[in-house]
């Protein structure tokens, strides 16, 4: 009850009462405001909690100390090791994982220009450092699932995909306009068609490849030269039509291009089912071992081969086998203006000092050939540049290793053999290569490895039989390839395999290349250099156990594998039973489903998983 005084004057007690009532009103108002504020905070907090449990919108989500923000165990407390977290009783598994903003549908985390801008990395643009790998720190990772673009469809199957892809899957048509005079690609209705043209082969890659074989006097103008040319490096590959047309000749190319102003070149290549990799000749060695390729190719690849004392050409020299070729189609090889002639003179002088010789020169193309032995290098005058590399330089060390201005000499074995001493393809796939001795493997160990993986692959395919047709799988990645026997066991399938050797493992990648296969070195604590949705099958043999030992996040790897894998694609995890059981918990959150699970022995288990097709439109819609 409120009391009001009458008249113009009040007693002392009345004055106190009025003051008390005023304070009371203020206290009531303050309590109301406090209650209102608390209610607002509760509502907002509840909203964010609900959002974190249900990914009902497509928004950009940054991580916080790996995936611990979503309870995925990336941050370890009280000194708890990651090996105890995997399969541990107290581990928390989310019901769902947030979906990235639609604008991130083509995110390549370690080749993200936005990351470079945001972190203000001081990079030398003239050396192409901005096109090299720069991975985000854990607090800057997008711990969310990469959505497909609107209208995404299951890719067209190989071999039809060599010549056309769905426009909705890679909605970028600027190259069709920009390269219209070169027949790179043409937009036709819902598809993008690839006529097989290139910067210096407007009339088709097939004719151009035959002309190179003709210049080298190979029988029947066949570029594989009786199986002696198997592995090719195509630098600045465009949309990889050169590599695509080599496949019919039993030649496999590593098509290489950066994520530069001609964006999506490698994405187009992989969508077509052509082996390709995002990379650049910048400051770091390419992630391939020495003596990997019989032929390197550059068709107007716009590379300054003379820069920094020829360091980029010396990187090619490291990668080429004894007697290997470099086919160079560029104006310098034929133009008559003064600048092109100057470049040609300087390049000719440089390669002569490197002991290369012209094998053939015709019209727009010159082909150089490397020596078969070290003899030419040893006969050079003292002080000749470029020098030979130091004897303690390992030409097969590539991960995070700077390029060097020096010539990598051949091993004693190669020098004595006057070449790589490899069997022609396809015999080389199963013939123990001479470099086995360099990694301390015997012929018996090599042959046993082949037999083990033949049996494992038979088991894999029998379990997949109900889910796949002959053309279901094309792009395959073996995430821990060892000697490449998993890929060799797939030789009768119409697939190609990116063989990945972890950077801290034994240098077996040179054996993989000697077998006529391709691959790269990588660290699975980081994202892989490829676009999203580029592989049909990922094979992870003990990969999770390995990264747990390195104290990296297995949950981060699961999200990275989801990024790489195409919708409806498959994952084969072969690992410890405890690891497989832990992965099973994440299947619903990742929108994956188990195809089968079976024990290999007392401790090892295989789980085969399929990724569901899902789309985003403010919410996830799972298409069964």
């Amino acid at each position: 009850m409120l009391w009001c005084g009458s008249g113009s004057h009040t007693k002392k007690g009345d004055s106190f009462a009025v003051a008390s009532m005023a304070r009371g009103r203020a206290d009531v108002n303050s309590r109301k405001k406090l209650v209102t504020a608390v209610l607002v905070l509760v509502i907002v907090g509840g909203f964010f909690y609900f959002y974190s449990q249900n990914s009902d919108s497509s928004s950009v989500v940054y991580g916080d100390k790996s995936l611990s923000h979503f309870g995925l165990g990336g941050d370890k407390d009280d000194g708890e090791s990651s090996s105890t977290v995997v399969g541990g009783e107290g581990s928390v598994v989310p019901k769902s994982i947030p979906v990235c903003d639609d604008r991130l549908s083509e995110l390549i985390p370690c080749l993200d220009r936005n990351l470079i801008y945001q972190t203000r990395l001081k990079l030398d643009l003239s050396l192409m450092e901005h096109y090299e790998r720069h991975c985000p720190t854990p607090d800057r990772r997008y711990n969310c699932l990469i959505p497909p673009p609107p209208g995404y469809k299951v890719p067209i199957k190989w071999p039809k995909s060599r010549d056309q892809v769905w426009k909705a899957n890679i909605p970028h048509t600027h190259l069709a306009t920009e390269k219209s005079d070169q027949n790179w690609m043409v937009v036709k209705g819902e598809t993008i068609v690839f006529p097989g043209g290139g910067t210096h082969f407007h009339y088709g890659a097939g004719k151009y490849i035959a002309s190179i074989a003709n210049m080298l006097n190979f029988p029947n103008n066949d570029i594989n030269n009786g199986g002696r040319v198997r592995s090719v490096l195509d630098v600045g590959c465009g949309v990889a039509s050169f590599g695509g047309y080599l496949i019919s000749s039993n030649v496999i190319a590593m098509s290489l291009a950066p994520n530069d102003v001609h964006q999506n070149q490698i994405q187009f290549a992989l969508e077509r089912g052509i082996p390709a990799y995002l990379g650049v000749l910048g400051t770091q060695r390419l992630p391939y071992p020495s003596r990997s390729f019989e032929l390197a190719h550059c068709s107007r690849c716009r590379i300054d081969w003379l820069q920094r004392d020829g360091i980029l050409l010396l990187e090619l020299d490291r990668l080429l086998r004894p007697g290997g070729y470099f086919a160079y189609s560029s104006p310098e090889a034929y133009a008559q203006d003064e600048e092109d002639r100057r470049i040609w003179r300087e390049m000719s002088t440089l390669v002569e000092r490197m002991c290369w010789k012209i094998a053939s020169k015709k019209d727009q193309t010159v082909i150089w050939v490397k020596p078969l032995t070290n003899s030419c290098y040893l006969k050079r005058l003292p002080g000749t540049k470029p020098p030979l590399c130091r004897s303690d330089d390992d030409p097969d060390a590539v991960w995070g290793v700077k390029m060097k201005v020096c010539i990598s000499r051949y091993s004693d074995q190669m020098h004595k053999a006057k070449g790589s001493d490899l069997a022609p393809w396809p015999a080389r796939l199963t013939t123990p290569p001479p470099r086995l001795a360099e990694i301390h493997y015997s012929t018996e160990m090599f042959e046993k490895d082949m037999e083990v993986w033949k049996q494992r692959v038979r088991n894999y395919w029998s379990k997949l039989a109900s889910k796949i047709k002959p053309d279901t799988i094309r792009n395959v990645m073996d995430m821990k390839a060892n000697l490449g026997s998993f890929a060799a066991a797939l030789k009768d399938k119409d697939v190609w395999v990116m063989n990945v050797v972890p950077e801290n493992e034994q240098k077996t990648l040179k054996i993989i290349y000697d077998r006529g296969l391709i691959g790269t070195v990588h660290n699975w604590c980081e994202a892989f250099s490829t676009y999203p949705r580029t592989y049909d099958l990922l094979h992870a043999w003990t990969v999770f156990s390995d990264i747990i030992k390195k104290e990296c996040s297995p949950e981060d790897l699961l999200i990275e594998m989801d990024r790489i894998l195409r919708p409806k694609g498959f994952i084969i995890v072969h690992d410890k039973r405890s690891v497989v059981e832990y992965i099973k918990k994440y299947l619903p959150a990742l929108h994956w489903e188990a195809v089968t699970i079976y024990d290999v022995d007392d401790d090892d288990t295989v789980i085969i998983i399929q990724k569901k097709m899902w789309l985003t439109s403010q919410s996830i819609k799972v298409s069964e």
Side-chain angles (χ1 to χ4, degrees):
M1 182 179 295
L2 293 179
W3 293 88
C4 297
S6 58
S8 59
H9 298 283
T10 59
K11 297 179 181 178
K12 185 176 180 180
D14 291 338
S15 298
F16 179 79
V18 171
S20 297
M21 285 189 287
R23 284 196 302 271
R25 285 194 297 270
D27 290 342
V28 170
N29 290 336
S30 297
R31 282 196 296 272
K32 286 182 177 179
K33 289 178 180 177
L34 179 61
V35 171
T36 302
V38 170
L39 285 173
V40 169
L41 287 173
V42 169
I43 291 168
V44 171
F47 172 80
F48 281 110
Y49 174 81
F50 182 81
Y51 174 80
S52 69
Q53 299 300 312
N54 302 275
S55 62
D56 287 336
S57 65
S58 276
S59 60
V60 178
V61 180
Y62 277 107
D64 178 18
K65 294 183 180 179
S66 185
L67 296 178
S68 59
H69 180 69
F70 301 113
L72 274 70
D75 196 30
K76 318 298 186 298
D77 294 325
D78 303 320
E80 189 176 16
S81 70
S82 54
S83 60
T84 60
V85 170
V86 173
E89 291 292 329
S91 57
V92 178
V93 179
K95 295 180 180 178
S96 62
I97 297 173
V99 178
C100 300
D101 189 283
D102 287 341
R103 291 167 295 178
L104 297 178
S105 67
E106 293 172 353
L107 176 69
I108 312 165
C110 293
L111 296 170
D112 182 9
R113 288 201 198 91
N114 289 327
L115 175 71
I116 293 174
Y117 298 147
Q118 291 166 8
T119 53
R120 299 181 181 178
L121 294 177
K122 295 181 180 178
L123 304 174
D124 191 330
L125 304 187
S126 67
L127 302 184
M128 301 298 176
E129 285 186 308
H130 54 307
Y131 294 141
E132 294 180 328
R133 288 174 58 84
H134 303 283
C135 296
T137 54
D139 61 309
R140 284 190 169 270
R141 290 177 182 167
Y142 291 101
N143 293 322
C144 47
L145 303 180
I146 302 295
Y152 181 86
K153 302 180 181 181
V154 173
I156 294 171
K157 304 301 182 183
W158 180 267
K160 190 177 179 181
S161 64
R162 188 196 72 170
D163 300 323
Q164 61 179 309
V165 301
W166 295 119
K167 184 173 65 174
N169 290 8
I170 311 179
H172 300 281
T173 59
H174 61 281
L175 283 175
T177 303
E178 186 177 340
K179 302 290 183 179
S180 59
D181 61 326
Q182 299 168 17
N183 273 333
W184 278 30
M185 47 189 267
V186 178
V187 178
K188 287 189 176 181
E190 294 186 345
T191 64
I192 295 175
V193 176
F194 301 89
T199 307
H200 266 83
F201 43 93
H202 306 176
Y203 300 108
K207 291 181 179 179
Y208 174 69
I209 290 167
S211 71
I212 291 175
N214 179 264
M215 289 173 66
L216 293 171
N217 295 316
F218 289 169
N220 303 315
N221 294 339
D222 192 341
I223 194 67
N224 76 11
N225 191 26
R228 295 174 185 85
V229 174
R230 166 62 180 171
S231 305
V232 171
L233 177 65
D234 187 16
V235 181
C237 65
V239 294
S241 288
F242 182 77
Y245 278 76
L246 285 172
I247 293 170
S248 60
S249 297
N250 279 321
V251 174
I252 190 166
M254 177 65 81
S255 296
L256 184 78
N259 184 27
D260 63 7
V261 291
H262 297 317
Q263 292 181 52
N264 308 100
Q265 297 172 100
I266 295 300
Q267 191 179 17
F268 278 121
L270 291 166
E271 183 76 8
R272 297 172 70 185
I274 301 170
Y277 185 82
L278 274 162
V280 66
L281 282 164
T283 65
Q284 306 279 333
R285 280 179 171 174
L286 293 176
Y288 318 124
S290 66
R291 322 298 174 226
S292 294
F293 302 97
E294 280 88 27
L295 172 70
H297 172 254
C298 157
S299 173
R300 194 64 181 275
C301 52
R302 303 176 73 177
I303 293 174
D304 178 7
W305 297 107
L306 296 174
Q307 66 174 281
R308 292 175 282 161
D309 301 316
I311 192 170
L312 305 185
L313 209 55
L314 289 162
E315 175 64 0
L316 280 193
D317 183 86
R318 181 183 71 83
L319 297 173
L320 282 172
R321 301 193 193 278
Y325 301 100
F326 177 40
Y328 182 59
S329 294
S330 190
E332 296 84 41
Y334 64 88
Q336 296 300 310
D337 64 85
E338 187 53 41
E339 180 59 15
D340 286 328
R341 292 173 67 183
R342 179 193 66 79
I343 294 172
W344 172 253
R345 286 194 300 269
E346 292 186 20
M347 258 190 100
S348 298
T349 302
L350 173 61
V351 298
E352 185 179 355
R353 295 198 304 270
M354 292 167 56
C355 293
W356 290 13
K357 293 183 178 179
I358 291 179
S360 185
K361 186 173 184 289
K362 181 180 179 182
D363 300 329
Q364 63 185 14
T365 303
V366 59
I367 304 175
W368 285 289
V369 61
K370 281 189 63 178
L372 288 169
T373 69
N374 290 326
S375 299
C376 174
Y377 305 141
L378 301 175
K379 291 177 182 177
R380 300 187 313 160
L381 295 175
T384 300
K385 294 183 178 180
L388 293 178
C389 295
R390 291 173 38 161
S391 58
D392 61 353
D393 176 66
D394 182 358
D396 299 325
V398 296
W399 188 256
V401 176
K402 295 282 187 182
M403 292 180 188
K404 295 179 173 64
V405 185
C406 60
I407 298 171
S408 298
R409 71 186 82 194
Y410 303 135
S411 66
D412 290 342
Q413 178 271 321
M414 284 187 179
H415 175 73
K416 292 175 183 176
K418 296 184 178 180
S420 298
D421 202 22
L422 296 174
W425 177 265
R428 72 170 60 175
L429 182 66
T430 54
T431 303
R435 288 201 281 187
L436 266 181
E438 295 181 17
I439 62 168
H440 309 293
Y441 266 73
S442 66
T443 298
E444 292 75 20
M445 293 165 70
F446 178 83
E447 291 173 346
K448 183 178 179 180
D449 188 72
M450 281 197 298
E451 288 305 314
V452 166
W453 281 106
K454 280 181 184 176
Q455 183 58 48
R456 287 176 177 173
V457 169
R458 276 196 292 268
N459 290 340
Y460 293 160
W461 243 251
S462 68
K463 303 295 185 182
L464 279 168
S466 64
K467 288 282 187 176
I468 62 172
K469 297 178 181 178
D471 62 356
T472 299
I473 295 171
R474 172 63 183 169
N475 300 352
V476 178
M477 179 186 290
D478 190 3
M479 297 172 67
K480 185 183 176 182
N482 195 31
L483 300 179
S485 293
F486 169 83
L490 292 172
K491 64 183 176 68
D492 295 328
K493 312 292 183 185
D494 206 359
V495 304
W496 66 271
V497 181
M498 179 67 78
N499 293 279
V500 181
V501 173
E503 102 291 348
N504 62 331
E505 299 279 331
Q506 195 173 23
K507 295 183 178 69
T508 58
L509 190 56
K510 55 188 169 186
I511 306 304
I512 289 168
Y513 273 93
D514 285 354
R515 298 181 73 174
L517 305 168
I518 62 169
T520 184
V521 175
H522 184 61
N523 178 0
W524 283 114
C525 294
E526 301 175 357
F528 193 77
S529 293
T530 192
Y531 281 89
R533 302 171 302 280
T534 42
Y535 285 87
D536 300 300
L537 173 66
L538 305 179
H539 176 240
W541 171 61
T542 69
V543 175
F544 284 92
S545 288
D546 290 345
I547 68 160
I548 291 165
K549 289 176 185 175
K550 293 174 70 174
E551 297 189 350
C552 296
S553 167
E555 297 83 10
D556 283 355
L557 181 56
L558 286 170
I559 287 185
E560 171 62 5
M561 291 168 72
D562 184 81
R563 185 187 72 86
I564 294 172
L565 191 66
R566 288 171 168 172
K568 298 289 188 180
F570 298 90
I571 295 173
I572 301 173
V573 177
H574 183 155
D575 217 311
K576 294 178 181 178
R577 182 176 292 109
S578 60
V579 172
V580 170
E581 288 299 320
Y582 192 66
I583 289 171
K584 279 174 61 179
K585 297 176 182 178
Y586 287 90
L587 299 188
L590 290 161
H591 308 291
W592 297 355
E593 62 182 358
V595 173
T596 188
I597 182 169
Y598 61 93
D599 292 333
V600 178
D601 52 37
D602 290 341
D603 194 37
D604 280 13
T605 298
V606 171
I607 182 170
I608 300 179
I609 300 160
Q610 185 172 26
K611 178 179 177 177
K612 296 180 182 180
M613 174 78 85
W614 56 266
L615 303 173
T616 60
S617 177
Q618 303 303 319
S619 63
I620 299 174
K621 296 179 181 178
V622 179
S623 174
E624 297 293 346

